[in-house]
């Protein structure tokens, strides 16, 4: 049965790897992070990323075999996401029972948010896999406290912290719990915790250097309440679009999915409280405590001024929550209510995932289509796009940033293309609008031309001089 569930998970993750184009951060991975030399890759991680290096080391090696196109690069995350399914089974089994492990594996296999990040060339899927393994070995260590169990927990937890800094919010409560519960063998537990802490402390200089003094966190402009709601929405209704940012049908689908998911979770909690066996209730408490730490602690830190509460960084809390749901619906005395609830949540996840496949509004911005619409040119041209378009268009078109360092006197061109999410743009001086087309569901492509080559400098079209949104300016060389 587990093999069949893993097969379904693999199909959901691998079958549509090329459906969507790279978005900004994935294009950064493909364009800049995956360099010819591993040392260059590590240099970029230190200077330009906000994550530890483990995923990028794996991606660098993977790209040598499979390339940096969508399918090649994303297939690493798809494999990692597929492996998370048996890891969730192991966590459920170690916490409670094989039956609950199977329920947990099904929920993880079908959850649309986990599928989304299993198809993204970033480090989130790796963090989820390693924290799920850490949860499984943590449960085993609580039961037998053997050196091997503690060593497996320490290894998985240390690797998790090396994949994403937010893994620490899942690892820390487990470490404290182990120290409290392992009183007769506290020295052994302390050794494992100390090893994980040493790895975490070794990463602190890197984290501080990556943050720097002038890094801007755009997500901090959004209220904490909105971000908390976005976490709950994403866990059930996937990543795109943002809350209430699509047409009424997609908004209704997302809100309805979140409401249904919340109601089903409350049913699972009711089953745990009213019908759960003592061991199942204890297991649910452990999983809920880990999930609560992964979500609540970042928000608590944000309240006191350390605001890194980006909703996607809290994806690590999702698997423990799904384990809690599995304990509720798969418990020994859950009965028909548990079976109906489990089927309902699977159907809910499948409906959302199907909507992601069918609706462009629920997918990543289609920079690949935008690049195809811009097309090739025999002459140099300038492209003004919104702030997230620089890396994707550099990847798909081979464009370059029009900066004052490389192009001190600007470039001479007859054509300026704009990619906007707004119906309004300002006409560049000396150019006239020659073409306009909508690229569903997000972009409007406008082509401005001049009768002769005019000199265009960065400051002539940057900022909000052409677009009514934050923008970047690119040079597309002739091909």
């Amino acid at each position: 049965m587990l093999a069949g569930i893993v097969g379904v998970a693999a199909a959901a993750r691998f079958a549509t790897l090329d459906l969507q184009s790279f978005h900004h951060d994935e294009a950064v991975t493909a364009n800049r992070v995956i360099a010819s030399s591993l040392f260059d890759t590590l240099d970029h991680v230190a200077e330009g990323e906000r994550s530890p290096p483990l995923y990028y080391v794996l991606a660098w090696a993977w790209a040598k075999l499979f390339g940096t196109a969508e399918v090649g690069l994303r297939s690493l995350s798809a494999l990692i996401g597929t492996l998370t399914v048996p890891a969730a089974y192991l966590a459920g089994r170690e916490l409670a029972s094989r039956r609950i492990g199977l329920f947990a594996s099904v929920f993880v296999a079908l959850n649309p948010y986990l599928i989304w990040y299993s198809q993204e060339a970033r480090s989130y899927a790796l963090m989820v896999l390693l924290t799920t393994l850490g949860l499984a070995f943590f449960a085993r260590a609580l039961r037998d406290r053997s050196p091997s169990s503690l060593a497996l927990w320490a290894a998985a937890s240390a690797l998790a912290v090396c994949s994403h800094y937010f893994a620490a919010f899942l690892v820390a409560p487990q470490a404290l719990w182990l120290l409290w519960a392992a009183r007769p063998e506290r020295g052994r537990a302390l050794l494992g915790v100390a090893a994980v802490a040493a790895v975490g402390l070794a990463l602190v200089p890197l984290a501080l250097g990556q943050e720097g003094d002038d890094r801007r966190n755009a997500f901090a402009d959004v209220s904490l309440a909105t971000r908390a709601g976005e976490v709950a929405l994403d866990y059930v209704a996937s990543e795109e679009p943002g809350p209430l940012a699509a047409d009424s049908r997609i908004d209704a689908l997302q809100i309805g999915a979140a409401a249904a998911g919340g109601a089903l979770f409350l049913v699972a909690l009711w089953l745990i409280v009213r019908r759960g066996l003592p061991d199942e209730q204890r297991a649910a408490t452990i999983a809920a405590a880990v999930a609560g730490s992964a979500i609540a602690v970042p928000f608590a830190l944000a309240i006191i001024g350390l605001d890194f509460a980006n909703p996607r960084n809290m994806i690590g809390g999702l698997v423990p929550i799904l384990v809690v749901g599995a304990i509720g619906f798969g418990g020994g005395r859950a009965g028909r209510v548990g079976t109906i609830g489990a089927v309902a949540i699977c159907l809910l996840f499948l409906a959302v995932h199907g909507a992601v496949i069918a609706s462009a509004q629920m997918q990543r911005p289609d920079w690949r289509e935008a690049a195809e619409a811009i097309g090739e040119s025999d002459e140099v041209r300038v492209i003004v796009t919104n702030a997230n378009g620089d890396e994707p268009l550099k990847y798909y078109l081979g464009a370059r940033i029009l900066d004052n360092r490389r192009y001190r006197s600007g470039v001479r061109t007859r054509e300026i293309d704009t990619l906007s999410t707004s119906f309004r743009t300002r006409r560049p001086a000396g150019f006239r609008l020659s073409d306009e087309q909508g690229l569903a569901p997000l972009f409007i492509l406008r082509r401005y031309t001049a009768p002769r080559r005019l000199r265009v400098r960065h400051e002539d079209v940057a900022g909000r001089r052409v677009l009514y949104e934050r923008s970047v300016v690119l040079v597309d060389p002739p091909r």
Side-chain angles (χ1 to χ4, degrees):
M1 191 177 295
L2 178 61
I5 296 168
V6 172
V8 169
R13 286 153 175 78
F14 281 94
T16 55
L17 279 180
D18 62 345
L19 176 65
Q20 303 178 51
S21 72
F22 281 148
H23 70 80
H24 178 274
D25 290 353
E26 290 183 290
V28 169
T29 302
N31 258 344
R32 290 194 270 156
V33 183
I34 307 301
S36 57
S37 162
L38 179 58
F39 294 106
D40 290 340
T41 291
L42 293 175
D43 282 344
H44 179 81
V45 171
E47 295 173 4
E49 290 298 320
R50 290 182 171 180
S51 300
L54 180 58
Y55 166 78
Y56 301 104
V57 172
L58 296 176
W60 177 86
W62 191 266
K64 296 300 179 185
L65 297 175
F66 301 104
T68 58
E70 290 99 336
V71 173
L73 196 54
R74 286 173 172 165
S75 59
L76 172 60
S77 292
L79 176 61
I80 291 169
T82 302
L83 292 175
T84 304
V85 173
Y89 166 79
L90 184 64
R93 189 192 73 181
E94 295 294 338
L95 281 165
S97 67
R98 287 187 174 89
R99 175 181 169 84
I100 288 170
L102 286 173
F103 275 59
S105 68
V106 171
F107 295 166
V108 168
L110 299 180
N111 180 267
Y113 198 49
L114 294 176
I115 294 174
W116 178 280
Y117 279 104
S118 295
Q119 296 185 322
E120 179 151 308
R122 301 292 284 178
S123 61
Y124 303 103
L126 182 60
M127 174 181 67
V128 171
L129 170 61
L130 293 171
T131 53
T132 302
L133 287 172
L135 178 63
F137 297 136
F138 167 67
R140 181 181 296 178
L142 285 178
R143 189 178 65 252
D144 66 17
R145 301 190 186 93
S146 65
S148 61
S149 296
L150 286 166
L152 287 170
W153 171 81
S157 298
L159 289 172
V161 173
C162 289
S163 67
H164 199 289
Y165 296 124
F166 269 59
F169 298 122
L170 289 91
V171 171
Q174 297 173 32
L176 295 174
W177 202 313
L178 280 173
L179 292 175
W180 176 80
R183 282 186 288 265
E185 300 89 6
R186 183 163 289 169
R188 187 183 298 163
L190 183 61
L191 184 62
V193 170
V196 178
V199 172
L201 290 172
L203 290 170
V204 169
L206 174 63
L208 293 175
Q210 288 173 327
E211 183 61 22
D213 297 325
D214 57 352
R215 295 288 299 258
R216 180 178 179 272
N217 294 324
F219 57 81
D221 297 335
V222 180
S223 71
L224 289 175
T226 300
R227 280 180 269 169
E230 190 173 344
V231 172
L233 188 71
D234 290 348
Y235 276 4
V236 180
S238 194
E239 174 74 14
E240 291 287 349
L244 301 177
D247 66 32
S248 58
R249 293 174 304 167
I250 300 300
D251 289 343
L253 171 68
Q254 289 186 305
I255 294 171
L264 287 167
F265 186 69
L266 290 176
V267 172
L269 291 180
W270 180 84
L271 288 169
I272 291 168
V273 172
R274 298 301 298 269
R275 298 187 184 180
L277 300 170
D279 286 348
E280 293 169 352
Q281 292 174 340
R282 179 174 180 270
T285 300
I286 292 171
V290 173
S293 175
I295 300 168
V297 174
F299 280 113
L301 292 174
I303 291 172
I304 64 173
L306 296 173
D307 190 355
F308 299 99
N310 193 338
R312 65 173 176 262
N313 290 336
M314 299 174 209
I315 190 174
L318 179 52
V319 171
I321 286 177
L322 294 177
V323 170
V324 173
I327 294 170
F329 293 132
R333 297 190 298 200
R336 186 175 298 176
V337 175
T339 302
I340 293 172
V343 171
I345 202 164
C346 290
L347 291 176
L348 174 63
F349 287 167
L350 285 171
V352 174
H353 180 56
V356 172
I357 294 174
S359 172
Q361 292 185 70
M362 296 188 73
Q363 298 172 8
R364 295 167 177 87
D366 198 346
W367 295 106
R368 182 173 58 198
E369 181 191 10
E372 290 172 356
I374 292 172
E376 297 186 355
S377 176
D378 295 330
E379 295 189 34
V380 66
R381 60 187 167 185
V382 170
I383 301 172
V384 185
T385 183
N386 71 45
N388 287 325
D390 52 349
E391 294 296 336
L393 293 182
K394 284 162 64 179
Y395 177 83
Y396 287 111
L397 286 175
R400 303 170 181 170
I401 295 291
L402 177 61
D403 56 24
N404 290 324
R405 179 178 55 84
R406 183 180 297 171
Y407 299 97
R408 289 183 183 143
S409 58
V411 295
R412 298 183 67 84
T413 182
R414 291 193 181 110
E415 180 181 323
I416 297 177
D417 293 340
T418 66
L419 268 176
S420 175
T421 60
S422 169
F423 288 102
R424 298 175 62 201
T425 59
R426 293 185 178 91
R427 180 177 58 84
F431 291 79
R432 65 176 182 83
L433 180 65
S434 60
D435 187 36
E436 177 177 312
Q437 58 178 304
L439 305 177
L442 186 64
F443 298 120
I444 301 168
L445 172 63
R446 296 179 176 91
R447 179 156 291 159
Y448 295 92
T449 55
R452 58 186 177 83
R453 289 191 183 92
L454 299 178
R455 187 174 300 280
V456 177
R457 295 167 297 181
H458 176 268
E459 55 268 26
D460 297 331
V461 291
R464 299 179 186 268
R465 289 177 175 82
V466 173
L467 300 189
Y468 284 79
E469 55 193 314
R470 283 198 315 127
S471 61
V472 293
V473 185
L474 303 172
V475 176
D476 186 25
R479 289 181 295 281

